[in-house]
Amino acid sequence: MVMPQALLEKSVGRRVSLLLKDGRILEGRLEGSDEYMNMVLEETTETATDGEARRLGSVILRGSNVVSISVC
Amino acid sequence: MVMPQALLEKSVGRRVSLLLKDGRILEGRLEGSDEYMNMVLEETTETATDGEARRLGSVILRGSNVVSISVC
Amino acid sequence: MVMPQALLEKSVGRRVSLLLKDGRILEGRLEGSDEYMNMVLEETTETATDGEARRLGSVILRGSNVVSISVC
Amino acid sequence: MVMPQALLEKSVGRRVSLLLKDGRILEGRLEGSDEYMNMVLEETTETATDGEARRLGSVILRGSNVVSISVC
Amino acid sequence: MVMPQALLEKSVGRRVSLLLKDGRILEGRLEGSDEYMNMVLEETTETATDGEARRLGSVILRGSNVVSISVC
Amino acid sequence: MVMPQALLEKSVGRRVSLLLKDGRILEGRLEGSDEYMNMVLEETTETATDGEARRLGSVILRGSNVVSISVC
Amino acid sequence: MVMPQALLEKSVGRRVSLLLKDGRILEGRLEGSDEYMNMVLEETTETATDGEARRLGSVILRGSNVVSISVC
């Protein structure tokens, strides 16, 4: 059995792809997370629903906006 | 009587199909879950409302975005 | 006086019809529920807003997506 | 001064009309309620925003979907 | 300094106009309120966004649907 | 370092401009606030997204509907 | 490992770019934040989804409306 929080903590240092509630996708290297699944990403790229991408660098993300986290 | 959390825990190792609030469907093997119904899926396929599917592999899913969980 | 949770617990084993927030209707036999009105249904049929139905079998439903529960 | 919960409890046995967040109107005889304003209605009629009505009989309603409760 | 809850309690017996999240406006005499800003109104008139008004009489209103309360 | 609640309390007596979730803008003199960022405004003007303005006088505003508060 | 709240506190005095749930972008100098990720910004510029910008000066922002925070 793999607990969600445990997998998230184990994924620090790896690249993750986050699907947000508004359809955006954020890809970056996971630097840390907390109990609310707030996360810190580095070298982040945001892709909007129309496919437009922008580089965001260092990002704090609120967990309440996250639908799913794919570990690459 | 079958409690929801008990059925979820008992379903670890089985394939589940999740309906998300935004209409997406995620199918994968349930690896674990917590008290908020956050889940870990492996060998996950996401199907968007337009039928487009993508392979996601290992996914952490936030329970707050889940409408229903079908146990296959 | 009939308390909502008491009626829900008393309805285990009966068929219920659930109206979800997104307009879907789920019909099935109630197997159990918890304090958040999460429910387990068996022999479930989901009817989308366009009338399309699909069989879901065993379903865990999150109470936060439920508008109303009709006891048949 | 009339407290909301007190009026709700005093209204058991009376007909009420509930406006839901999605615009539906539920009318029925209030059988009970709890601290979250979850309610039990009997002899319930649901009227959709397009005016279409359906009989629902015994209904458990989640308070979080209710906008207002008119006591008839 | 005027605290929101204090002003609400002081407004009992006065007419108030409530703007709801869905754009409706409810006007009535405030009879009482609780810590969640649930309210009881008497002699209530509801005005929909299209300007259509209906008389509702005695109304229990859930605070979570209220945007703002104007004290007349 | 300036804490959000501290700045809000310090702004009592000043004019503020509130952006609400539904796009409305409320401008008025801040009379008080509480821990949920519920606020009391006096001499309030509401401007809808279509630019239409109306005078509201004394207003209790629920903090959960507020996006941002500009201190003038 | 970098915790989200720790990075936020460390970013006081730096310029940040906030993506809000409604698509607006707020850019300003972070003056402070609290446990709910409410923030105080100075020299703030708001850019709407249609690209229209307005100067807001000193702003209190509710964390519940924030999707992500880019540290510049």
Side-chain angles (χ1 to χ4, degrees), chain D residues 1-71:
Chain D
M1 189 154 170
V2 185
M3 299 298 280
Q5 285 285 5
L7 178 54
L8 195 56
E9 286 168 24
K10 221 181 69 180
S11 301
V12 169
R14 299 186 62 178
R15 291 197 72 77
V16 295
S17 172
L18 309 180
L19 172 65
L20 304 191
K21 279 188 181 169
D22 63 4
R24 291 171 209 257
I25 292 177
L26 282 189
E27 296 185 330
R29 194 179 66 241
L30 183 65
E31 293 296 303
S33 65
D34 65 18
E35 61 189 301
Y36 306 108
M37 289 201 186
N38 298 323
M39 284 171 262
V40 176
L41 297 183
E42 290 288 345
E43 296 167 20
T44 315
T45 305
E46 178 197 86
T47 308
T49 49
D50 61 3
E52 199 188 314
R54 54 177 191 144
R55 301 251 168 157
L56 293 175
S58 180
V59 172
I60 300 165
L61 192 88
R62 283 181 58 93
S64 57
N65 298 292
V66 175
V67 176
S68 62
I69 307 159
S70 305
V71 185

Side-chain angles (χ1 to χ4, degrees), chain A residues 29-33 38-42 58-61, chain G residues 2-5 7:
Chain A
R29 195 179 65 241
L30 182 65
E31 292 297 304
S33 65
N38 297 323
M39 284 169 262
V40 175
L41 298 183
E42 290 289 345
S58 180
V59 171
I60 300 164
L61 192 87
Chain G
V2 184
M3 299 298 280
Q5 285 285 3
L7 178 54

Side-chain angles (χ1 to χ4, degrees), chain E residues 1-5 7-8 11 17 19-21 23 25 35-38 63-72, chain F residues 9 12 20-22 24 26 31-36 38-40 42 46 54 56-62 64-65:
Chain E
M1 189 154 169
V2 184
M3 299 299 280
Q5 285 285 4
L7 178 54
L8 196 57
S11 301
S17 173
L19 173 65
L20 305 190
K21 279 189 182 168
I25 292 176
E35 61 189 302
Y36 306 107
M37 289 201 185
N38 298 323
S64 56
N65 297 292
V66 175
V67 176
S68 63
I69 306 159
S70 306
V71 185
C72 305
Chain F
E9 284 167 27
V12 169
L20 305 191
K21 279 189 182 169
D22 63 4
R24 292 172 207 256
L26 282 189
E31 293 296 304
S33 65
D34 65 18
E35 61 189 301
Y36 307 108
N38 297 323
M39 285 170 261
V40 176
E42 291 288 344
E46 178 197 87
R54 55 177 190 143
L56 293 175
S58 181
V59 171
I60 299 164
L61 192 88
R62 284 181 58 93
S64 56
N65 298 291

Side-chain angles (χ1 to χ4, degrees), chain C residues 36-47:
Chain C
Y36 306 108
M37 289 201 186
N38 298 322
M39 284 170 262
V40 175
L41 297 183
E42 290 289 345
E43 296 167 22
T44 315
T45 306
E46 178 197 86
T47 308

Side-chain angles (χ1 to χ4, degrees), chain C:
Chain C
M1 188 155 171
V2 184
M3 299 299 280
Q5 286 285 5
L7 178 54
L8 195 57
E9 286 168 25
K10 220 180 67 179
S11 302
V12 169
R14 299 186 61 177
R15 291 197 73 76
V16 295
S17 173
L18 309 180
L19 172 65
L20 304 191
K21 280 189 181 169
D22 63 3
R24 290 170 209 256
I25 292 177
L26 282 189
E27 297 185 330
R29 194 178 66 241
L30 183 65
E31 293 297 303
S33 65
D34 65 18
E35 61 189 302
Y36 306 108
M37 289 201 186
N38 298 322
M39 284 170 262
V40 175
L41 297 183
E42 290 289 345
E43 296 167 22
T44 315
T45 306
E46 178 197 86
T47 308
T49 49
D50 61 3
E52 198 188 314
R54 53 177 190 144
R55 302 251 166 155
L56 293 175
S58 180
V59 172
I60 300 165
L61 192 88
R62 284 181 59 92
S64 57
N65 297 293
V66 175
V67 176
S68 63
I69 307 159
S70 305
V71 184
C72 303

Side-chain angles (χ1 to χ4, degrees), chain A residues 42-54:
Chain A
E42 290 289 345
E43 297 167 21
T44 314
T45 305
E46 178 197 88
T47 308
T49 49
D50 61 2
E52 199 189 314
R54 53 177 192 143

